[in-house]
Amino acid sequence: MSDFYIILTGTLVAIACGILGCFLILRKMAMVGDAISHAVLPGIVMAFLWSGSRDSVTMLIGAGTLGVLTTIIIEFLHKKGKLQTDASIGVTFTWLFALGVILISAYTGQVDLDQECVLYGEIAYVPLDTIILSSGTDIGPKALYLIGSVLVFVILFVTIGFKQLKITSFDPEYAVALGISATLWNYLLMAFVSFTTVASFESVGAILVVAFLIAPAATAYLISKKLKTMIWLTCLIGFMSAFLGYYLAAALNASIAGAMATVCGLIFALVFTYVRIMSKKVTKVTNFESAKA
């Protein structure tokens, strides 16, 4: 049963991150997702220091606030400070991430909140941290309910705002002409990226969650240019990464989350190679037909 819980948790993390990652890829904001996954760290710590507990809701609020703040700072440095986008991202997430590490080491040394937990996570411990009702009934891992709830909210967000997200991703200027606030939907997307990131911390950590945000969506983008198809492919790739990654980790006696992220990269490499080969074959056939004509 532990195997099932671990694979299911990894799948839910990969799908929740991957769905949002599709829109990050289309908006050419993949590195913003990376920035947010690191920059929310001080928000988590400050939420903990304020509340005195590791309550999931409090930490989600702290992470969401810092995620939106990160986006605002990046936009400010880019538009007002005239910095290039990559420079704005680099400056913002590095100092916020460093601030979070300092806060952890300075103020949370006596509690179970440390750099290793936040950075790397440990999905193997998921089956051990369960929810036990007052009746004594064990209803399953806490992490599974947390990331499952976040996934439901992500699906609702994307379903309700699909039109707005699609238009603002492909053509922000056209969205503005239609009366759709591109800025508002951008901030909403970044907030959900923040929530999903912090919900995934204990399972896969801040660093490895980036792989689930970007790799499955980037792989799906190579195969299909239709958004809905891209999202479904991303979910499938996320499941494959979690399933195969678990058994790869078992075979190598290695980090499960790391193995899952590695499988994400391997699937991307295989698809990329296949697409390149097929592209060259099509080019050769086209040139041959042109020569015959």
Side-chain angles (χ1 to χ4, degrees):
M1 198 64 178
S2 295
D3 296 355
F4 171 75
Y5 283 143
I6 292 171
I7 293 173
L8 180 58
T9 302
T11 299
L12 295 180
V13 170
I15 291 175
C17 291
I19 291 174
L20 298 173
C22 289
F23 296 99
L24 294 177
I25 291 291
L26 293 175
R27 291 165 180 255
K28 299 180 181 178
M29 297 176 68
M31 291 308 297
V32 173
D34 183 17
I36 288 177
S37 68
H38 289 74
V40 296
L41 182 56
I44 295 172
V45 181
M46 286 187 283
F48 170 78
L49 293 174
W50 177 72
S51 65
S53 72
R54 292 176 55 190
D55 179 67
S56 300
V57 175
T58 304
M59 290 196 174
L60 283 173
I61 293 172
T65 303
L66 257 292
V68 174
L69 178 61
T70 300
T71 307
I72 293 173
I73 295 174
I74 290 172
E75 289 292 315
F76 177 80
L77 292 176
H78 175 58
K79 293 180 179 179
K80 302 297 182 180
K82 305 300 181 183
L83 283 177
Q84 293 180 338
T85 302
D86 56 349
S88 302
I89 292 172
V91 169
T92 304
F93 96 80
T94 49
W95 78 264
L96 283 174
F97 184 64
L99 175 62
V101 172
I102 292 173
L103 289 173
I104 286 179
S105 59
Y107 297 106
T108 63
Q110 303 303 315
V111 296
D112 184 21
L113 183 67
D114 54 61
Q115 294 99 317
E116 186 173 335
C117 170
V118 173
L119 297 181
Y120 309 113
E122 186 45 78
I123 199 170
Y125 295 157
V126 164
L128 303 179
D129 187 12
T130 60
I131 298 175
I132 300 177
L133 302 178
S134 56
S135 62
T137 305
D138 188 335
I139 60 173
K142 178 181 177 182
L144 194 60
Y145 286 94
L146 176 60
I147 190 61
S149 300
V150 171
L151 176 58
V152 170
F153 281 110
V154 167
I155 292 174
L156 287 174
F157 169 64
V158 172
T159 302
I160 295 172
F162 185 78
K163 176 184 175 182
Q164 291 85 345
L165 287 168
K166 181 178 180 180
I167 295 174
T168 54
S169 295
F170 284 104
D171 195 339
E173 294 181 359
Y174 179 59
V176 173
L178 292 177
I180 300 172
S181 176
T183 301
L184 172 62
W185 284 96
N186 182 54
Y187 287 151
L188 286 174
L189 177 62
M190 295 306 110
F192 270 87
V193 170
S194 304
F195 297 149
T196 306
T197 297
V198 72
S200 307
F201 271 169
E202 290 191 21
S203 300
V204 298
I207 294 176
L208 295 178
V209 76
V210 179
F212 295 119
L213 269 174
I214 306 304
T219 305
Y221 183 75
L222 292 175
I223 302 173
S224 175
K225 303 305 178 186
K226 293 183 178 180
L227 182 53
K228 288 185 178 180
T229 305
M230 181 180 170
I231 291 174
W232 282 110
L233 286 172
T234 297
C235 295
L236 176 61
I237 294 168
F239 165 72
M240 292 173 60
S241 299
F243 183 81
L244 297 176
Y246 175 79
Y247 288 103
L248 174 63
L252 300 176
N253 192 26
S255 165
I256 298 173
M260 289 179 179
T262 299
V263 171
C264 282
L266 291 174
I267 293 175
F268 175 83
L270 290 172
V271 171
F272 178 80
T273 303
Y274 174 77
V275 170
R276 289 285 294 175
I277 292 173
M278 293 304 296
S279 177
K280 288 181 179 180
K281 286 184 178 181
V282 170
T283 302
K284 287 181 180 179
V285 171
T286 302
N287 290 340
F288 178 73
E289 292 295 335
S290 300
K292 285 180 63 178

